[in-house]
Every structure is written in structure tokens, then in C-alpha cells.
Amino acid sequence: MKLKTALLGAAALAMAAPAAWAERGADGEVKLTFPQAVSIMTPYLSGGTKDIWASSMVLEPLAGIDADGNLVTKLAAEIPTLANGGVSADMTTITWKLIPGLLWSDGTPVTADDAVFTWQYCTDPAGGCAQATKFDGVASVEAVDAGTIKVTFTGPKPNPYTAFVGALSPILQKAQFANCLGAAAPTCTDANTMPIGTGPFKVTGFTVNDTVTMEANPNYRDPAKPAFAKATIKGGGDAESSARAVMETGEFDYAWNTQIPPDSQAAMTAAGKGQFVVAFGTLVERIEMNMTDPSPDLPEGERSTAKHPHPILSDIKVRTALSKAIDRSILVEVGYGAGGKPTCNVIPAPEAWASDNTGCIAQDIEGAKALLEEAGWTDSDGDGIRDKDGKKLSILYQTTVNPVRQDFQALIKDWWSEIGVETELKAIDPGVFFGGDPGSPDTFQKFYADVEMYANNSDNPDPETYLGQYQCKNAPSPDNQWQGENINRFCDPAFDALHAKLTQTTDIAERQAIAKQLNDMVTKDSMVVVPLVHRGTLSAHSNSLGGVIINAWDSELWNVADWYRVK
């Protein structure tokens, strides 16, 4: 990863529109529309991108990643490196210096104690931190003084830019969250929905799964920013209506996640009111295979491959057959056009980190049928559905409400029908699916289905922490408030051991080789994850909104402080 210090966004933007930033709040209100409504304003209690992006307008890490994959400063005065002494020679510590004089939006000082508390908050075993892998390998976080944070690792850490880097790992205010440790974390409604932050905006109102209202943070570190006095995120509906609200009606300035077919994009662009923006990072639309029995009738906490393996999908031949039946090129054509590429990898980029795994691209219906035959699944009664030991080869396939995803479901159901698989389709409101509510049965973490489809990505060009989600310890359960990242309940000691080796490997070429192995272990070697499309991050903004730089490596709203109204 490249390093670059950029205290307040791209310098080129400051040169392009100095008048826009002459006075904080001079440009009125900016309106954003999300097809997936925001459920909570902290990434530590949600794996949903819509919650992470919204909270990034308020909560900030020490450093972020820009659109080119460079590290940039947020709350840190500079990026620690071996060269400047911020990273120790033995790579066991990294020391961060806060920008002097930083204030929370309530006017109180930001100190190193806040970072220490954030580490304690996310690593409390009863808390169910959704971003626990960000702190893998961290032995301690200490406040050397009020402005200095020292992170010590359990061993050499070749990639020390994990904890407190990127939108998934921001600093929380200790004073506000002090009573929210452990099992109390999800009960702190005020803190979780209206967090006190350091970002360009502060929350003024929050309606769960509906609307977030904000105003400019009066204590933001750049007195000229943000240009907007207010910001509103309106959630719900669908991707097409969100895109239309920007591209055709002009009701909104920015629409996140405009996952709509290419022909719809072209028609909306013709209206001349806005533009679609796309960036390719590591976002992959995939089908996740449930490795455990998904029955909600099982006692909570007993969802494991050891106690209750999946009655059908535990057989790799079945999982592989389901993958072989899919024509990924058609999915790209129907759903994304130039905004997508067929892929077999969960880590499709950067190129140096991507496996040469391409064996899934070509559809193989006959090969899929042969595998099911080998697995003992035959159509004994001639009804077109295979069966075995009196059980039909029938699966529940869930995803979110979205026109592209429903198209994918219909196509894949037809292909699976060709090989003798009966498929029931389920579409869940995305605000619920990605909401992270530990009481809801319909979150992607609960996974009360056989297979589910959504998109996920690494927020760092180095995929160490992202691949770490598949470790055994990260399976969602009541013990972690259902916030574990290993939603498949995949558990392979060999994977865990290889990932541990990655965390200690310093040679970049060897790191890349190990990452490719880990990728292959959860894809072609086990078919636990069935990648479909390497997606571009596609959103839309009005022609009157300036400063937008689409970013596939960090929060899409990473430089919202630099947005302005085009005069």
C-alpha cells in the first residue's frame, strides 16, 4: 500500500473550488438517498455497508484510504512508517500522533484514551463487535500521553494499518460509550444512533430504517468545511427509485448503491441532471453457502458444523454442482454491463493479490448433473427434482429486495432447475437484512436459509483482515450478539493456521501468495463462497454537486467534507 499524508482530502479539490469552501455551511443542505435504510450509526454493531457509510460522516479513524489506495491521515498528524520511526524496526508496534487540538463535536478534547477505550470496546468478548478482525493480533493499545497512541502487536505485524484505519475502525468517544461495554453495547440506543464524533457532520435526528438528519460539526478541524450546513440521508425504497431521484427528478444530490441494469442507467443519464460514477475495488456479488443446519428451531448457539452440519450443503459435490450450473457472463450482461466482470475470487483485486482461479467462469450444466449423481442425488420419482434417502434436493435462496438481485435469483433458479434442484426464493428488505439487529431472524448473519446472496469487499488493498473473517472464531452466535463475520460458519483449522502465518509474513510476494491460497480455500477448494460478479461501486450524483471522488477502498463518503454546491 502506498502512503500519502493528506490532512483534509485531495489538494486538487481545494484548488478547483476555493470559493465553495470560503465559509462553513454556505451551500445549504445536501441530500443523500440510500436504497437500504440506515439502522444504526456505528460500524462496530453492523456489518451493513449502508450503516458504515452513514456513520463515516460522523465517526473517523486515525487514517483512511483514498481513491487510489493510498493511506491518508484523518485524526493522525502523519502516517507512521518504518522510515519516520512510527513503526518499530521489529514491526511489533505502531505509534500514532493525534492532530493537536482535536475536539469532539460536543467541544471536549479528543485524547489517546478514546482510542484505548475503542479497542477495549471492540475486543470485549460479550460485545459482539462486527469489526473484530480489525484488532486481530493487537496485544495492547496504550495512551503514551494525551496525544500519542501506541498499538502493540502479539508479534511482528507486516501490515500494521488495521486497527483505527478506514471507516470500519473509527475512534469512539469514551465519555459517551463508557457504559456500553460488552453485552450492554446494543442497548445504548442514544450513543448508537447519535454518536458524538469528529467528522464534518453531527447527528441531529435519527429514525431507524428511515432518515438521518445532520448538521455541520461546529468543531470540525477545518473551519471552512463542510460547505453544507445540513445533510440528510433518506433510506428505503429500491435502487432504481434512488437513482431516479437524483438523475431524473433532482430531489436528491447523491444516491448510493444504484445497482440497476445498464439500460436503466443509460435512460436516466439521458435526462441530463446527473451522472453515474463507478470504481472497481474488491466488491464481489457472491452466493454464500450455509455450512450448518439453518433451522430456526435449533437452540440458539448450536449452529455449528460439528453439532448440526447442513443436511445437504455439507457435501462439496453439491456445492460445486450449484456453482457449475451458473453462467456468470450472462449475470454480468443482465445486471452490470461495463460495471461488472465475471469472477471466481473473493479477492479479485489488486491484480498482484488476485488468484488465477478462473475455473468457474464457464457454465457446465452436464458437469453439475454428473456431480449430483455421484453424490447420490437422483430423480427417483420422475418429478424433475432430485432426491436422496427420502429427502428432496430443495433449498431456500435469500437476498435483498433489489431489481438486479431478483433478476439473478430468477436466472439462477432456472439453471438450478435444469440440474434437478428445487429452489424457493426469498427477498428481504435490505434495511433489515443488513441492519445487524440481534433480535431479527432476517439478518444476513442469522442466515436462516440454505444460501444467500449479497456483495462484500475488502476495505484495504492488503486483504489480511478481510480474509480473517473466515476464521472459526468469527462465526455469528448469541455470544457475540450475532455480529460475527464468518456467516457461513466455515471452520477449517488449516485456514486459521495459514491466516496466522499471513499476519506474521513480511515479504510482500509471500504475503500475496498466501492471500491467494486463502482465497482458493474458501472458493474453488471448498465452494463455501461462490463468487459471481466483480462489481464496480456504482452510485449517482447530481451535476450540481461538486467534489465527489468515488472510492472503492474506504467509505464511499470518505471526502464528504470536500463536497460543495456547483454555482
Side-chain angles (χ1 to χ4, degrees):
M1 184 189 302
K2 299 175 183 178
L3 303 180
K4 181 171 71 179
T5 299
L7 182 58
L8 293 165
L13 280 177
M15 295 173 62
W21 296 336
E23 182 181 352
R24 175 179 291 157
D27 287 344
E29 183 178 9
V30 61
K31 296 181 179 180
L32 300 87
T33 171
F34 285 14
Q36 301 170 11
V38 179
S39 304
I40 198 168
M41 287 292 288
T42 167
Y44 291 123
L45 296 182
S46 176
T49 303
K50 41 89 175 190
D51 300 327
I52 297 166
W53 280 192
S55 65
S56 73
M57 298 174 70
V58 176
L59 299 173
E60 296 181 299
L62 295 172
I65 302 173
D66 73 8
D68 297 320
N70 302 307
L71 283 167
V72 293
T73 56
K74 290 285 189 175
L75 302 183
E78 65 177 351
I79 303 295
T81 65
L82 284 167
N84 65 25
V87 176
S88 63
D90 62 1
M91 296 186 180
T92 60
T93 68
I94 182 169
T95 301
W96 298 87
K97 292 281 189 179
L98 292 171
I99 296 171
L102 281 175
L103 298 176
W104 293 103
S105 60
D106 65 358
T108 59
V110 178
T111 73
D113 285 338
D114 294 304
V116 175
F117 171 81
T118 302
W119 166 66
Q120 293 168 340
Y121 174 93
C122 190
T123 56
D124 189 306
C129 182
Q131 313 304 337
T133 55
K134 281 288 188 177
F135 296 94
D136 276 357
V138 174
S140 67
V141 177
E142 58 185 299
V144 177
D145 55 46
T148 307
I149 302 154
K150 183 178 181 181
V151 180
T152 300
F153 302 105
T154 54
K157 188 76 167 176
N159 175 27
Y161 309 110
T162 54
F164 310 123
V165 175
L168 277 67
S169 187
I171 306 293
L172 300 179
Q173 188 193 57
K174 178 180 178 179
Q176 186 183 32
F177 284 85
N179 296 322
C180 304
L181 289 170
T187 70
C188 293
T189 303
D190 288 346
N192 293 334
T193 57
M194 302 184 71
I196 295 167
T198 57
F201 292 93
K202 58 182 288 187
V203 183
T204 56
F206 186 92
T207 303
V208 177
N209 293 335
D210 190 350
T211 306
V212 185
T213 57
M214 309 181 207
E215 65 182 30
N217 175 2
N219 292 300
Y220 188 60
R221 56 190 172 275
D222 187 326
K225 299 179 183 180
F228 293 100
K230 296 181 180 180
T232 300
I233 300 176
K234 177 66 177 176
D238 55 59
E240 191 157 353
S241 62
S242 286
R244 186 172 290 112
V246 170
M247 301 293 289
E248 292 182 349
T249 70
E251 298 171 76
F252 287 85
D253 299 298
Y254 192 91
W256 164 69
N257 194 26
T258 50
Q259 188 183 353
I260 59 176
D263 56 345
S264 296
Q265 295 174 37
M268 291 183 191
T269 301
K273 292 188 175 182
Q275 57 187 288
F276 288 99
V277 285
V278 63
F280 279 96
T282 61
L283 187 64
V284 173
E285 191 78 19
R286 79 282 300 280
I287 287 176
E288 303 277 1
M289 299 282 179
N290 201 334
M291 299 303 290
T292 65
D293 190 331
S295 172
D297 296 330
L298 290 172
E300 286 193 344
E302 289 195 12
R303 296 273 301 283
S304 72
T305 54
K307 290 184 177 180
H308 297 284
H310 196 284
I312 296 173
L313 298 177
S314 293
D315 189 338
I316 189 174
K317 291 180 180 178
V318 176
R319 301 195 299 273
T320 304
L322 294 174
S323 176
K324 282 180 173 291
I326 298 171
D327 190 326
R328 289 159 173 81
S329 296
I330 288 180
L331 295 181
V332 169
E333 180 182 342
V334 167
Y336 298 100
K341 310 169 188 176
T343 188
C344 303
N345 294 324
V346 293
I347 301 296
E351 184 177 355
W353 295 85
S355 168
D356 60 2
N357 171 26
T358 59
C360 77
I361 301 296
Q363 184 186 43
D364 185 4
I365 293 291
E366 294 308 313
K369 291 178 179 178
L371 277 175
L372 293 177
E373 291 284 339
E374 289 177 24
W377 292 95
T378 60
D379 183 7
S380 64
D381 56 10
D383 67 351
I385 307 301
R386 294 176 183 270
D387 56 87
K388 179 180 178 181
D389 300 329
K391 182 179 179 61
K392 290 289 186 181
L393 185 46
S394 177
I395 61 176
L396 174 60
Y397 172 12
Q398 71 181 20
T399 188
T400 63
V401 175
N402 176 281
V404 172
R405 286 185 174 142
Q406 269 65 79
D407 286 345
F408 278 24
Q409 279 187 308
L411 286 166
I412 292 171
K413 178 178 180 177
D414 285 346
W415 290 325
W416 286 351
S417 178
E418 282 189 58
I419 64 173
V421 178
E422 181 180 52
T423 307
E424 177 186 353
L425 303 180
K426 181 178 180 179
I428 302 170
D429 180 281
V432 174
F433 188 77
F434 293 117
D437 180 359
S440 171
D442 287 325
T443 64
F444 75 102
Q445 296 103 328
K446 284 286 183 72
F447 203 173
Y448 288 135
D450 302 300
V451 301
E452 62 184 12
M453 179 175 67
Y454 60 92
N456 206 339
N457 65 289
S458 170
D459 70 332
N460 194 309
D462 185 314
E464 177 188 316
T465 57
Y466 181 71
L467 288 167
Q469 71 184 327
Y470 295 107
Q471 296 172 88
C472 299
K473 67 180 182 180
N474 290 328
S477 72
D479 293 338
N480 57 25
Q481 308 289 335
W482 298 102
Q483 291 298 335
E485 303 145 285
N486 182 0
I487 61 97
N488 316 79
R489 281 78 174 174
F490 168 77
C491 187
D492 182 352
F495 180 95
D496 287 10
L498 188 58
H499 185 267
K501 181 179 179 182
L502 175 63
T503 66
Q504 302 299 310
T505 299
T506 58
D507 181 77
I508 189 66
E510 189 176 354
R511 288 181 63 77
Q512 291 166 348
I514 293 173
K516 292 173 185 178
Q517 285 181 264
L518 292 169
N519 171 92
D520 292 352
M521 288 176 78
V522 295
T523 56
K524 71 174 182 178
D525 295 345
S526 67
M527 288 295 172
V528 171
V529 185
V530 177
L532 302 173
V533 179
H534 179 196
R535 282 176 46 189
T537 299
L538 183 69
S539 293
H541 70 85
S542 69
N543 291 332
S544 67
L545 183 62
V548 175
I549 300 178
I550 193 76
N551 188 342
W553 298 112
D554 204 335
S555 167
E556 196 166 304
L557 310 180
W558 71 290
N559 75 325
V560 69
D562 299 330
W563 291 6
Y564 60 91
R565 183 70 64 201
V566 176
K567 300 296 194 284

